[in-house]
Amino acid sequence: MPRLSYRKALTRALADEMTRDESVFLLGEDIRVAASNVTAGLLKKFGPERVIDTPLSEQAFTSFATGAALAGLRPVVEFQIPSLLFLVFEQIVNHAHKFPLMTGGQCEVPVTYLVPGSGSRTGWAGQHSDHPYGLFAHVGVTTVVPATPADAYGLLVSAIRHVDPVVVFAPAGAMDVRADVDFAALAPVPIGKGRVHRAGTDVTVVAVGHLVHDALAVADELAGQASVEVFDPRTLYPFDWDGLVESVSRTGRLVVIDDSNRSCGIAGEIIATVVERVRLLAPPARVTRPDGAVLPFAPALDRAVQPGREQLRTAIQLTLKEG
Amino acid sequence: MIRSDPVRLYRTVRLIRRFEERALDLVRSGAIVGGIHPYLGQEGIAAGVCAALRDDDLVTGTHRGHGHVLAKGADPARMLAELLGRVTGLNRGRGGSMHAADFGIGVLGANAIVGAAGAILTGAVWARRRRGDDLVGATFFGDGAVNEGMLLEAFNLAALWRVPVLFVCENNGYATTMPVDGAVAGTIPGRAEAFGMQAAVVDGQDPEAVRVAAAAAIARMRAGGGPELIEARTYRFDAHHTFEHVVRLDYRAPEEVAVGRSRDPVEIAGGRLGDADRAAVDAEVEATLDAAVEFALASPEPEPAGALEHLYASGLVARTGDA
């Protein structure tokens, strides 16, 4: 079976949707030369009318995309740096997201915001290493964080076809993941549907984005001691609560690993919702970035504030000790 | 309207004037909650610009936006119902005074974030032209908006990509209470000229002067010219917002207000009509607004159970906030 990289899966999704639907076009910084390597080859294939380099005016081109979507096109806006989402949070949340309600349903805003390389890229320091998916889930913007090449393809396709704005976070830690993929089987992945990556009976680990791979590795390591189920929500908003509740109802234990700052992070929401619906055998646990973390530059410091395998192993073991 | 039509212009300014006065009555009576930003004194700008537009052209307005929506042709009864939060309102009661929109007649919404709409309209006009519609747009904003970065970014995008958008600055002398002299370095036309745009200053109190300037700019834009800017010098006759009727803010001397109010766009436009024509328009406007008030007050309020209808074009139903 051929190998597909996560990055190439994104490229393939863009190309397939641009071929399928003339109203899809790309907007962003340095996308013609494919500085992020996600839009590679698309200028040649689709021309400069559909692969549009913008000036460094993130706020204007984000709202330009809103206007183009209101007028019937389907823009895909690429952001080279996750922290740029802070700069355009107003344009996405206050305009693109609010227009359907504020206008009483007069319009649709089908924009996809694609963030290739979200989270730490190691050595890119404080202003290039955020992973702000929780903010978008909080305000109710459709938010997807694919972990695998097939999901990257399928969720990006679904995002582009969706009638509401969608933010697609492609974690830096997953961009180089490769998987054996049957290209003919690549298909849209439904928004709002999680996936059990590995079945287990003792504890459910919810892992977001690239951390799915860490969770799977830890589950393997613990195989002799515990049966760990790994649940990948894939979409953080709207979340597949029924899918997760089904899993935790079987295992009775919950650990969440989430590359967000702890306070008001998505891990807190996941735990709160599960304990509202399921009587657990042991207190739940979460592994996150610290409260208010800013990623420091030095590699050892960068790693120190990111959630990792060692912490996850400890959290799982603590949870298993009780009950 | 390329040629002068004094009756039509007068009808528009008179309609906006009397609409606003009736809306103020309804604010005082408590029927309109949250107050309004009255457009009194600035009617000639919306009337003049919209008289130079075609029905299929697109506009965006501001928080002080009733005039823009009415001048583009919205039904005053449904507009008033929106201000009252009724289901028959333009936005089904979901938008209110600051977000009134009527996509069917090219009003992509009043927008309550200063300077935000320019980039949205630029994207919408660009997209519609790309789809083969030969239309232009006009985006209204106040003098406060010329210090918003995202509007200046929109100037750049529109000029760079030659999107035919008329940027209409309604300079009423104050951004809420901040005088222009205390806020604007350089000049307002200078902002546009810096991006290679043609810019004109016009007497905003004279609807015909505004129409002539707008028609000339729009003719150049339709002939393939890029965006242009008009600074319409005007004066706000009433408060920034009706909260000022309760909390008096001391920032305009009574003498200045008297001078400002002495040049009234309704009188200027009305003075160009014979007494009989003017009386006929006045009677027609009163009849229209009598019916509008009756319609709006008789319209039902939305059901609380449907508070978040239209939040997602996809039809996604958000989780409720209770147990």
Side-chain angles (χ1 to χ4, degrees):
Chain A
M1 209 177 280
R3 302 280 283 174
L4 178 64
S5 78
Y6 190 110
R7 196 184 307 270
K8 289 289 171 212
L10 294 174
T11 311
R12 197 177 179 89
L14 292 174
D16 284 358
E17 287 309 289
M18 290 176 80
T19 302
R20 196 185 65 84
D21 182 351
E22 288 243 318
S23 68
V24 178
F25 72 99
L26 312 181
L27 199 62
E29 292 159 346
D30 311 303
I31 62 172
R32 284 183 178 158
V33 299
S36 68
N37 209 12
V38 166
T39 50
L42 300 180
L43 174 65
K44 194 171 172 203
K45 192 162 182 190
F46 298 101
E49 297 291 307
R50 295 181 70 194
V51 182
I52 301 172
D53 268 345
T54 61
L56 307 191
S57 303
E58 291 83 9
Q59 296 184 321
F61 71 67
T62 301
S63 276
F64 181 95
T66 302
L70 290 172
L73 297 184
R74 288 182 178 269
V76 179
V77 186
E78 187 195 285
F79 295 96
Q80 274 181 20
I81 302 164
S83 314
L84 291 175
L85 292 177
F86 298 139
L87 190 59
V88 299
F89 200 60
E90 201 278 330
Q91 283 70 26
I92 296 174
V93 176
N94 226 0
H95 303 277
H97 170 58
K98 290 184 181 176
F99 260 58
L101 181 131
M102 291 197 306
T103 62
Q106 292 183 57
C107 60
E108 297 177 351
V109 189
V111 184
T112 301
Y113 310 99
L114 176 60
V115 191
S118 193
S120 172
R121 303 173 183 184
T122 309
W124 287 65
Q127 292 179 330
H128 282 54
S129 306
D130 294 290
H131 212 165
Y133 47 74
L135 293 177
F136 290 90
H138 177 71
V139 295
V141 174
T142 302
T143 304
V144 303
V145 193
T148 67
D151 282 349
Y153 176 88
L155 284 166
L156 180 52
V157 165
S158 292
I160 294 169
R161 295 182 190 179
H162 201 59
V163 291
D164 291 309
V166 182
V167 190
V168 179
F169 288 92
M175 289 292 279
D176 295 320
V177 169
R178 289 167 184 276
D180 293 329
V181 169
D182 173 3
F183 281 20
L186 284 172
V189 169
I191 286 169
K193 194 79 191 140
R195 169 184 171 193
V196 174
H197 266 269
R198 174 197 170 100
T201 54
D202 295 332
V203 56
T204 299
V205 172
V206 179
V208 177
H210 63 291
L211 297 171
V212 167
H213 305 288
D214 294 297
L216 290 169
V218 170
D220 278 346
E221 290 168 25
L222 295 176
Q225 310 164 37
S227 168
V228 177
E229 177 146 314
V230 176
F231 183 87
D232 171 5
R234 302 196 287 192
T235 302
L236 295 181
Y237 189 92
F239 199 97
D240 183 3
W241 296 121
D242 289 343
L244 178 57
V245 163
E246 192 280 322
S247 169
V248 182
S249 297
R250 281 188 285 101
T251 62
R253 293 181 179 82
L254 174 66
V255 174
V256 184
I257 182 162
D258 162 29
D259 192 18
S260 298
N261 292 355
R262 196 169 187 86
S263 179
C264 300
I266 195 81
E269 179 57 32
I270 291 169
I271 288 171
T273 300
V274 168
V275 300
E276 282 170 345
R277 292 179 57 177
V278 182
R279 191 174 294 278
L280 297 175
L281 301 171
R286 57 183 154 156
V287 179
T288 65
R289 292 188 185 188
D291 270 353
V294 175
L295 252 68
F297 165 69
L301 304 180
D302 177 313
R303 274 194 302 278
V305 295
Q306 289 187 67
R309 293 181 187 183
E310 188 57 44
Q311 295 158 291
L312 178 60
R313 198 178 303 114
T314 305
I316 293 169
Q317 284 164 340
L318 268 175
T319 308
L320 288 168
K321 255 189 215 164
E322 300 202 35
Chain B
M1 181 170 67
I2 301 305
R3 277 181 301 175
S4 177
D5 184 344
V7 173
R8 182 179 153 180
L9 263 188
Y10 175 68
R11 184 188 296 119
T12 308
V13 291
R14 177 76 185 180
L15 174 71
I16 300 169
R17 170 65 52 88
R18 293 294 296 139
F19 181 96
E20 292 295 66
E21 288 172 344
R22 299 233 183 181
L24 286 172
D25 289 342
L26 291 164
V27 170
R28 286 186 204 101
S29 76
I32 293 176
V33 297
I36 62 171
H37 300 81
Y39 196 58
L40 297 171
Q42 305 183 200
E43 298 92 337
I45 304 169
V49 170
C50 290
L53 293 171
R54 290 194 319 231
D55 287 350
D56 62 337
D57 291 328
L58 306 178
V59 303
T60 56
T62 66
H63 55 286
R64 197 177 308 290
H66 305 169
H68 313 128
V69 182
L70 291 170
K72 190 66 170 59
D75 175 359
R78 294 193 60 214
M79 178 71 185
L80 198 56
E82 187 56 37
L83 268 53
L84 284 154
R86 304 302 169 98
V87 291
T88 55
L90 291 173
N91 306 29
R92 298 185 169 94
R94 268 69 176 180
S97 166
M98 288 194 283
H99 305 303
D102 193 344
F103 277 59
I105 58 164
V107 179
L108 304 189
N111 197 311
I113 299 300
V114 172
I120 295 173
L121 186 73
T122 301
V125 169
W126 175 87
R128 287 287 297 275
R129 291 175 68 84
R130 184 185 175 110
R131 299 177 69 199
D133 300 320
D134 169 37
L135 51 72
V136 303
T139 180
F140 298 90
F141 51 90
D143 47 275
V146 305
N147 298 318
E148 292 284 4
M150 64 181 151
L151 182 65
L152 301 176
E153 289 183 10
F155 283 8
N156 187 53
L157 280 194
L160 187 70
W161 294 339
R162 296 188 71 74
V163 184
V165 168
L166 184 60
F167 291 95
V168 183
C169 179
E170 302 183 336
N171 178 0
N172 66 18
Y174 293 86
T176 308
T177 68
M178 168 61 86
V180 168
D181 290 347
V184 179
T187 67
I188 292 170
R191 298 276 199 280
E193 286 157 1
F195 297 99
M197 275 194 250
Q198 193 160 327
V201 179
V202 63
D203 175 8
Q205 300 312 92
D206 182 344
E208 176 64 9
V210 174
R211 188 197 64 78
V212 167
I218 289 166
R220 287 188 292 269
M221 291 180 353
R222 289 201 201 285
E228 299 197 16
L229 177 138
I230 288 176
E231 178 193 351
R233 299 257 173 92
T234 186
Y235 198 77
R236 160 162 63 71
F237 285 9
D238 201 306
H240 163 67
H241 181 272
T242 46
F243 76 75
E244 275 187 60
H245 294 170
V246 182
V247 183
R248 298 280 168 184
L249 302 176
D250 182 18
Y251 60 96
R252 303 197 301 187
E255 301 76 25
E256 181 198 299
V257 175
V259 170
R261 293 178 66 111
S262 68
R263 297 199 64 249
D264 184 334
V266 176
E267 295 306 319
I268 290 170
R272 291 175 182 144
L273 268 56
D275 289 347
D277 280 350
R278 185 169 177 177
V281 170
D282 290 354
E284 180 196 326
V285 165
E286 290 315 301
T288 299
L289 292 174
D290 284 346
V293 171
E294 193 178 335
F295 170 83
L297 286 171
S299 293
E301 291 180 7
E303 289 292 331
L308 290 184
E309 279 173 12
H310 314 296
L311 177 57
Y312 297 101
S314 68
L316 172 70
V317 177
R319 280 196 293 173
T320 59
D322 48 23

